[in-house]
Amino acid sequence: MAKQADLEKLTTLTRPHRDMINVMPLQTGSILTEAARRVLVEFGDGYSICDFCQGRLVDIANPPVRQFVNEMLPEFLGADVATLTYGARDGVFMVMHSLTKPGDVVVVDGNRHYSTAVAAERAGTELVVVPNSGYPEYTVDAEGFADVLRERRASLVILTYPDGRFGNLVDAERVGEIAQTVGVPYLVNGAYSVGRMPVHMKELSADFLVGSGHKSMASAGPSGVLGMRDKWQEVVLRRSALHKTKEIECLGCTVRGVTLATLMASFPTVVERVTHWEEQVSKAQWFSEAMESLGFTQLGEKPHRHDIMVFETPALFEISQRVRERGFYLYKEMESRGIWGLKPGQTKALEMSTFAATQEQLTQVVDAFQSILEKYR
Ligand SMILES: *Cc1c(COP(=O)(O)O)cnc(C)c1O
């Protein structure tokens, strides 16, 4: 058995960086709203959402899960039908697993998330990649999907929109037209878009749209959403023969507690915030230019159209070669300036997000980099 002192540590966990300026791509879209913070305690107990469940999570009337899932989510996603998942990866897997057989081909962009590749391994499908353009923009041309689909018979097309490293936005509507022309179902992975920017499944000619609650919808996690066209309901949401109320693909139930409560409590704010996406893009572009004026290089599309970006920072790497802390000096210097979210140890290339920071805070971030460069000159 563990030592008493070690056990006690578990009861007094704290999170030291919670109130700092946060630029960590994973975290900026999931900072809870005040409403979500309140329901966090209200629904903290396990299975707390299930008081009035009659066998199906998505049919619970109080709290209004049914209305949320059957009315609000489909409208928000531009879908006919929506359901709840544990996260973006689960949505991708559910669709892949129910639409393909082992050995089938799934066509995917060259900037796909690792979880898409792992989903393919689990489902036994072969990923065929539409390559990116390589350094420095790493863009994926929508027409590349047509080339691949001409050569390979595919069961599913998946587009990462945007990808999680460069924040590049492929012409998703064009990919949808191409997929529709060859009659292959099309899934848009919106882990970094649904809840940040307007995304409408049908306007992209997509069959599926996946979102992540704990990445972009101001929710605790794991939680996610999956929108689809009507015709896929009987495939992806098919029921168990043994337990007629339960769906097979999600093993009968999904986010049955506090994660769903926070997803719902933040939803009005999320619906509202996507209408301010232009302001987010302006902030991101301002930040990219300011970082480049310090001598860093933004990789990915320029001008940039998303808050996720990555910078090449050779001057910061060069410093790491001659200081005692090696690469760790950078995150310590930033932390001491009230800025959180750089990966400890990393100095060569920095992945950042401008979504949660105000313009003033972004100025502070740029000033921090400048003062670090000067300090170690
Ligand atoms: C973060 C991310 C995921 C995984 O999201 P989860 O909700 O944690 O499963 C999947 N795809 C992309 C593109 C991502 O950026």
Side-chain angles (χ1 to χ4, degrees), residues 67-83 194 198-203 209 226-228 267 271 274:
Q67 199 182 13
F68 176 65
V69 173
N70 290 351
E71 296 168 26
M72 300 178 192
L73 271 183
E75 188 190 341
F76 180 65
L77 299 170
D80 296 321
V81 180
T83 195
V194 173
V199 207
H200 192 281
M201 192 191 86
K202 287 192 180 169
E203 283 173 10
L209 176 59
L226 168 63
M228 67 192 83
F267 189 69
V271 169
V274 301

Side-chain angles (χ1 to χ4, degrees), residues 31-324:
I31 296 167
L32 296 184
T33 58
E34 281 310 312
R37 248 177 242 294
R38 193 187 62 78
V39 302
L40 199 57
V41 175
E42 187 76 16
F43 284 86
D45 299 334
Y47 286 108
S48 57
I49 218 98
C50 314
D51 284 354
F52 299 105
C53 183
Q54 310 228 322
R56 289 177 58 76
L57 172 73
V58 294
D59 286 338
I60 294 173
N62 177 21
V65 180
R66 183 166 57 200
Q67 199 182 13
F68 176 65
V69 173
N70 290 351
E71 296 168 26
M72 300 178 192
L73 271 183
E75 188 190 341
F76 180 65
L77 299 170
D80 296 321
V81 180
T83 195
L84 301 165
T85 69
Y86 288 112
R89 71 193 68 206
D90 304 86
V92 170
F93 179 75
M94 278 169 71
V95 172
M96 199 189 286
H97 186 244
S98 36
L99 266 65
T100 67
K101 298 184 304 298
D104 282 6
V105 165
V106 175
V107 177
V108 70
D109 59 277
N111 293 332
R112 94 284 184 281
H113 192 252
Y114 77 85
S115 61
T116 302
V118 176
E121 282 186 89
R122 185 173 168 194
T125 57
E126 179 192 351
L127 283 190
V128 177
V129 175
V130 178
N132 66 37
S133 61
Y135 185 90
E137 291 215 338
Y138 301 92
T139 51
V140 173
D141 181 3
E143 301 306 326
F145 282 85
D147 298 340
V148 171
L149 286 166
R150 219 171 286 123
E151 285 172 16
R152 299 298 301 267
R153 214 185 135 90
S155 301
L156 181 65
V157 168
I158 298 181
L159 179 68
T160 320
Y161 185 75
D163 70 273
R165 178 159 171 85
F166 305 106
N168 285 349
L169 288 161
V170 179
D171 184 347
E173 205 178 325
R174 180 69 191 126
V175 176
E177 282 172 13
I178 292 167
Q180 212 165 37
T181 306
V182 291
V184 178
Y186 170 43
L187 180 150
V188 173
N189 178 352
Y192 267 123
S193 54
V194 173
R196 293 168 116 90
M197 55 185 266
V199 207
H200 192 281
M201 192 191 86
K202 287 192 180 169
E203 283 173 10
L204 302 178
S205 296
D207 295 89
F208 302 98
L209 176 59
V210 154
S212 172
H214 53 273
K215 191 176 254 169
S216 300
M217 299 179 81
S219 172
S223 61
V225 296
L226 168 63
M228 67 192 83
R229 288 183 188 263
D230 250 336
K231 67 171 180 182
W232 296 115
Q233 194 172 194
E234 59 189 38
V235 178
V236 177
L237 306 182
R238 68 196 181 284
R239 306 270 184 105
S240 158
L242 302 174
H243 297 271
K244 305 245 182 280
T245 58
K246 307 296 186 188
E247 288 163 22
I248 291 176
E249 211 49 71
C250 70
L251 302 180
C253 193
T254 57
V255 283
R256 45 203 175 278
V258 67
T259 61
L260 173 55
T262 56
L263 184 70
M264 287 166 60
S266 283
F267 189 69
T269 302
V270 166
V271 169
E272 206 275 331
R273 80 183 185 183
V274 301
T275 66
H276 300 289
W277 179 241
E278 286 309 313
E279 295 159 35
Q280 289 291 348
V281 173
S282 302
K283 266 197 306 176
Q285 292 184 353
W286 177 89
F287 186 71
S288 167
E289 279 177 32
M291 290 288 277
E292 294 217 319
S293 72
L294 294 180
F296 304 143
T297 306
Q298 185 229 304
L299 302 178
E301 286 174 346
K302 273 193 266 191
H304 210 54
R305 294 178 294 147
H306 197 276
D307 61 275
I308 300 293
M309 29 191 148
V310 55
F311 295 94
E312 265 188 326
T313 52
L316 297 172
F317 175 69
E318 187 271 319
I319 295 168
S320 76
Q321 300 301 294
R322 55 187 164 81
V323 297
R324 185 178 46 81

